[in-house]
Amino acid sequence: MSRYSALDLAALPDPSAIVALDFDAILEARLTELEAQLAEVFDAAKVAEVMALARNIAASPMRYLNEAAAARELYMENRINQAVRSVFLATATGDDLDQIGANRGVVRKVLDDSDADNPVMESDATFRARIQLVIEAWSPHGTEGSYVYWALDADDRVVDVAVYGPNHGLDPAIPPAEPKMVILSSEGDGTADADLLQAVYDNCTVDTRRPVADKLTVISATPVTYSVEAVLYVTSPEAASAVQDAAQAAVEAFAAGRIRIGRKLYRASLAAALNVSGVVDVDVISPAASVEVGPFEAAYCDSITITLQSITGGWRDV
């Protein structure tokens, strides 16, 4: 199966202008520079005396001054790093990301405005993905990315979109000019209701957004439900409560991140998510195998049961 895949911005290296922050290296460079400057004015004995204070006497004014100057230089380098990150789509956050979106005509969504003073806004990650996709939306030829963008733009409940055509090799095959769009909802088990499907269809079939020959079909993703049941083995009964909370949070985040159309859920990845700090071994009881997910389906976790069992590791755990 082939799907539209945007460039993975998270995999890009940092811009070369971003430097590593190292207070000790900055301090050492300042002390080296100080020593060189002193050597131009004073004899070697005087230079050694001053540098002994600057390098070795923690309470000396000379040491304090150099540490304070190094700290200020570190703050400045961090500020420069932040300024560099603020202008790139891959690294900008918050208001800086809003500015990049505005340059491309994309505005961050308000997800919940019931509290006028503290509205719930679209996350940086989701907003960044839409900004990246908007270039696809400028195409008048009905690319996958274009359909995905307008589907996401249609309603805040749309969390994932898949668009299939004749080149995706599905069985039965998708006829030419009859793309099929699959929608995953943020509500319930991910099933999109009729109102949401209609909203997406209406937003994607405006004459300026869809090739006139396309006969678009919009359907809901079908949930593939699974439950998580696992036994975690720990050697510290005293820390069991903290381990349980951390494991619960980790598996919830894992399950939420796998609510995607057509994405297989691997049992090994689930075990890795459960292996939080304090866990010695993980026994995943359910699911018994990796969860297969078809091109029109999405995995959905309907329950999580985590049991802790204490084991003795002997002197190695002392």
Side-chain angles (χ1 to χ4, degrees):
M1 181 181 70
S2 173
R3 283 190 54 188
Y4 167 79
S5 180
L7 175 67
D8 183 3
L9 297 178
L12 295 176
D14 277 338
S16 59
I18 294 178
V19 300
L21 300 179
D22 189 334
F23 174 80
D24 291 335
I26 294 173
L27 177 60
E28 181 57 33
R30 295 191 69 88
L31 291 172
T32 301
E33 177 66 21
L34 173 62
E35 187 172 12
Q37 294 289 335
L38 290 173
E40 296 180 1
V41 181
F42 300 107
D43 59 36
K46 185 64 174 179
V47 171
E49 177 185 351
V50 175
M51 292 309 299
L53 290 172
R55 287 185 181 279
N56 305 319
I57 309 301
S60 71
M62 184 66 71
R63 181 73 181 189
Y64 282 144
L65 286 171
N66 278 281
E67 287 184 347
R72 294 302 304 171
E73 187 173 336
L74 185 75
Y75 301 154
M76 179 57 70
E77 286 191 350
N78 183 57
R79 180 69 186 88
I80 293 172
N81 284 353
Q82 291 176 332
V84 172
R85 289 190 175 98
S86 72
V87 299
F88 292 99
L89 177 61
T91 52
T93 60
D95 293 342
D96 296 325
L97 190 59
D98 289 331
Q99 292 291 336
I100 293 175
N103 287 339
R104 298 188 182 182
V106 187
V107 179
R108 191 188 298 264
K109 291 182 179 181
V110 180
L111 303 182
D112 185 355
D113 59 359
S114 56
D115 183 350
D117 296 326
N118 297 288
V120 177
M121 306 298 292
E122 183 179 21
S123 69
D124 281 349
T126 305
F127 187 36
R128 180 178 289 109
R130 290 201 305 114
I131 295 173
Q132 187 178 9
L133 275 172
V134 74
I135 297 176
E136 291 283 328
W138 296 340
S139 169
H141 301 297
T143 64
E144 280 186 70
S146 175
Y147 274 125
V148 169
Y149 176 83
W150 291 118
L152 291 171
D153 180 73
D155 195 289
D156 297 338
R157 293 172 292 172
V158 178
V159 293
D160 196 21
V161 183
V163 183
Y164 301 109
N167 296 328
H168 286 88
L170 301 184
D171 185 16
I174 306 295
E178 295 186 19
K180 182 167 290 188
M181 178 182 290
V182 189
I183 301 297
L184 185 67
S185 172
S186 62
E187 298 179 331
D189 62 2
T191 302
D193 61 26
D195 290 340
L196 178 55
L197 296 178
Q198 188 63 49
V200 171
Y201 178 83
D202 291 343
N203 203 53
C204 292
T205 54
V206 176
D207 286 343
T208 56
R209 299 173 185 172
R210 175 191 60 166
V212 293
D214 271 9
K215 181 182 178 183
L216 178 66
T217 301
V218 182
I219 63 173
S220 172
T222 301
V224 178
T225 59
Y226 68 96
S227 60
V228 173
E229 184 179 355
V231 178
L232 308 184
Y233 296 94
V234 298
T235 57
S236 175
E238 296 79 13
S241 178
V243 170
Q244 178 115 22
D245 291 343
Q248 182 76 23
V251 76
E252 287 177 358
F254 171 84
R258 295 307 187 279
I259 303 177
R260 295 292 183 269
I261 299 169
R263 179 179 295 184
K264 180 178 179 179
L265 186 138
Y266 290 92
R267 191 166 179 265
S269 299
L270 174 59
L274 286 163
N275 193 18
V276 298
S277 179
V279 173
V280 177
D281 270 315
V282 176
D283 183 10
V284 178
I285 299 171
S286 178
S290 297
V291 180
E292 299 291 340
V293 178
F296 303 103
E297 299 172 334
Y300 175 74
C301 180
D302 59 3
S303 68
I304 299 173
T305 304
I306 298 175
T307 305
L308 267 63
Q309 185 170 325
S310 179
I311 59 174
T312 301
W315 60 269
R316 290 180 177 83
D317 293 322
V318 172

